Amino acid sequence: MKPFVFFLILFVTLLANSYVHASPQPFNPQKIVVAGGSITEVIYALGEQQRIVGVDSSSIFPAVATTQPQIGYVRKISVEGILSLNPDIILAEADIGPKKVVEQLKRTAANLVILHENDSFWRIENKIEQIASLLQVQSKGAELAQALKVDRDALTHILEQATTKPKVLVIRSNQLMVAGADTTVNELVSIAGGKNVMASSVTNWQTISSEAALVLNPDVIITMSIGVHDQQSNSELLNAFKFSNAVKNKRVHNFDVAYLLSMGPRTPQALVELAHAFYPQAQLPDGYQYRFLKSAANSAK
């Protein structure tokens, strides 16, 4: 073999090996736009909020998140608003929309990551670990996910003491709108050991008349509110149910929407509280404490 050919082959081989053994730098986004309140909540819980450069309007916890630049509502985001922030990555919940806007983002080669499979009560830890992995803080994610085990164990502890399932009615705090089947809250009521009285007759959220409300006789009423103003309207709303067992026995409980329904780090604790509202005689595990704040109003203090 001629020396020139030999050295040429040697050079190409060494060059190829250098590419094979090179270790690319892991992607570590520093400018994050979020479309989904639970994702924002997770990033704050991980202590990585300094990376956030924009959020959608459902990102209301903690309260300081609302001071971030806004990109619209998660189901009605603004392409221009997002791109103007020049993010390294866009993290979104499964209900990001509208569809045409999502397609526009994909055509701009924006780094869009949609957490399709993790918006459920049973996959909150998966969501936390996925976000932590994307942010290259896996150890923080594992620690936060593990911390939720105490809440899941407490929920099991309550349900082991459960007897007859209470009849539960879930209503919006500012109107006679009730939760039926095919709603997240219906699923959570079932997980917490209750029976949604509207699940067999109503799909999604529907408004009912005062006359229809009189026929219902729930054992427990759960009102859903967003902030203090919604909670203040409860007394007027509950007049429609004043003859129910729930009102007569003072078993009416208000839950902040983001606290119960976000599918973020606080949701397992919220389910413990919900189950305890269904079974007030049940004992919590020894030493168990509610650790997370229950509303954005509390986090602003």
Side-chain angles (χ1 to χ4, degrees), residues 37-78:
S38 71
I39 299 173
T40 298
E41 189 174 328
V42 168
I43 293 174
Y44 271 86
L46 292 172
E48 297 295 323
Q49 62 270 18
Q50 73 280 0
R51 306 195 200 192
I52 297 176
V53 296
V55 299
D56 81 301
S57 61
S58 74
S59 297
I60 61 174
F61 188 91
V64 68
T66 62
T67 65
Q68 299 276 7
Q70 298 289 307
I71 62 167
Y73 178 52
V74 63
R75 297 178 183 176
K76 198 175 181 180
I77 58 172
S78 163

Side-chain angles (χ1 to χ4, degrees), residues 78-201:
S78 163
V79 172
E80 294 77 12
I82 291 175
L83 296 182
S84 69
L85 298 170
N86 193 29
D88 299 325
I89 192 170
I90 305 159
L91 295 183
E93 292 178 352
D95 55 352
I96 184 175
K99 186 177 180 180
K100 65 178 182 180
V101 172
V102 175
E103 293 303 318
Q104 284 179 311
L105 283 173
K106 291 178 179 178
R107 286 198 296 271
T108 64
N111 189 14
L112 174 64
V113 177
I114 302 176
L115 309 185
H116 285 290
E117 299 177 353
N118 290 327
D119 280 334
S120 78
F121 179 70
W122 302 115
R123 296 186 64 83
I124 293 171
E125 288 86 349
N126 298 70
K127 177 189 292 186
I128 291 169
E129 290 175 345
Q130 182 179 3
I131 294 170
S133 179
L134 289 167
L135 273 56
Q136 295 294 312
V137 289
Q138 289 89 338
S139 59
K140 285 185 177 182
E143 183 178 353
L144 179 58
Q146 179 62 28
L148 304 190
K149 185 177 184 301
V150 67
D151 301 304
R152 295 201 183 271
D153 289 346
L155 176 60
T156 299
H157 186 78
I158 292 174
L159 295 180
E160 286 173 346
Q161 303 169 65
T163 53
T164 304
K165 287 187 176 183
K167 295 185 295 181
V168 181
L169 179 70
V170 182
I171 56 178
R172 291 271 175 86
S173 290
N174 56 358
Q175 53 194 310
L176 276 175
M177 183 172 284
V178 299
D182 298 331
T183 59
T184 299
V185 73
N186 177 65
E187 179 185 5
L188 295 181
V189 165
S190 179
I191 292 171
K195 180 181 180 181
N196 182 4
V197 294
M198 303 305 300
S200 61
S201 56

Side-chain angles (χ1 to χ4, degrees), residues 150-151 269 284-292:
V150 67
D151 301 304
Q269 174 184 288
L284 289 166
D286 290 341
Y288 179 80
Q289 294 182 335
Y290 294 123
R291 313 175 312 286
F292 296 109

